Amino acid sequence: MPVSCSAWDCKNRCTIQTRSQGITFHRFPTDAKLRKIWETALRKEDFSASAYSVLCSQHFTEDAIDRTGQIVRLREGAVPSIFNFPAHLQKKPVKPRKTVTSQKAAAPYEVVVVKAVSKANKEKTETLVCDEHSYALDPSPNRVKDRLAQALANMERLQRQLRNAKDRERRCRTTLKSALDDLKQRNLISDELHQRLDMYSSL
């Protein structure tokens, strides 16, 4: 019997169709604390995951999924965060705080710039409003440009590795499916075993 996603109102089941769409299924973690976080994230009353409970990859952000290997895995500490909850389970919007401290923290701070305006070493002060923290941006435009170029090059390299990994994964899945189908046609495995092996190969 195909495995179904445990998330609220999620219809995804572990089938050939969902796997062809790149949807993977992942068991709840064995670590008790992380497992509890997953269960709480589902917002299901009195829900307790069993050894066979799974969540599909559509409930995780892409950076929480490791697709570089032959088997798609979740990264360590990954937590599901993408759900389509009904209105009564939606979180209420947080009201903005109106304390003096919070208002001061939200206000932009002033930077005082001192400029020399004459040979007599007279100085003139100019006040600039800064909407960002002083550590948010490198003061040197050249260093910022270099860091941006490095980041873009690194991103291109990682995207190339990801494409290669997906191609390898696709080839492995095709080979595995062909092998399972061949075993089934030769009556070397039963229908139930064929279905189970086909299901577990995508986890």
Side-chain angles (χ1 to χ4, degrees):
M1 182 176 181
V3 175
S4 299
C5 180
S6 299
W8 183 281
D9 199 34
C10 183
K11 303 294 192 303
N12 288 336
R13 295 158 62 87
C14 186
T15 62
I16 296 176
Q17 288 77 15
T18 54
R19 288 197 299 276
S20 65
Q21 296 170 7
I23 300 174
T24 55
F25 293 79
H26 306 275
R27 296 184 188 277
F28 279 65
T30 54
D31 179 74
K33 290 184 179 179
L34 187 57
R35 186 187 191 90
K36 186 64 178 177
I37 294 175
W38 280 37
E39 292 173 346
T40 304
L42 296 185
R43 301 188 195 171
K44 285 186 174 182
E45 188 175 358
D46 299 327
F47 174 78
S48 180
S50 69
Y52 303 100
S53 298
V54 296
L55 284 180
C56 71
S57 55
Q58 289 190 329
H59 303 292
F60 297 86
T61 56
E62 192 58 32
D63 59 355
I65 304 174
D66 182 6
R67 301 184 185 273
T68 57
Q70 293 184 359
I71 299 176
V72 178
R73 303 180 186 277
L74 294 178
R75 300 190 186 278
E76 185 177 355
V79 175
S81 58
I82 303 174
F83 298 100
N84 185 23
F85 292 120
H88 71 280
L89 290 179
Q90 295 284 354
K91 286 186 176 180
K92 295 181 180 179
V94 179
K95 295 181 179 180
R97 300 177 64 182
K98 296 183 179 180
T99 62
V100 176
T101 304
S102 61
Q103 290 177 353
K104 285 183 178 180
Y109 67 94
E110 295 180 345
V111 177
V112 177
V113 179
V114 179
K115 293 183 177 180
V117 295
S118 70
K119 295 181 180 180
N121 292 328
K122 293 182 180 180
E123 296 180 343
K124 177 182 179 181
T125 61
E126 180 181 351
T127 301
L128 302 177
V129 177
C130 181
D131 291 327
E132 299 288 344
H133 294 291
S134 59
Y135 54 78
L137 191 63
D138 195 304
S140 171
N142 290 332
R143 285 200 295 267
V144 172
K145 185 177 180 180
D146 291 341
R147 288 175 60 186
L148 177 59
Q150 291 175 0
L152 291 174
N154 190 43
M155 181 180 69
E156 184 177 351
R157 179 180 60 82
L158 292 175
Q159 287 177 340
R160 187 166 56 250
Q161 290 180 355
L162 179 60
R163 288 194 298 270
N164 293 338
K166 286 183 176 181
D167 290 340
R168 289 195 300 270
E169 178 190 7
R170 194 178 301 110
R171 289 194 296 269
C172 289
R173 287 188 175 183
T174 302
T175 302
L176 179 58
K177 185 178 185 306
S178 298
L180 289 175
D181 292 343
D182 184 53
L183 290 172
K184 176 63 179 63
Q185 289 177 359
R186 296 183 182 184
N187 292 325
L188 296 177
I189 57 175
S190 63
D191 289 338
E192 182 180 0
L193 181 56
H194 177 272
Q195 189 174 19
R196 286 190 178 183
L197 290 174
D198 195 31
M199 175 185 69
Y200 287 122
S201 64
S202 65
L203 294 179

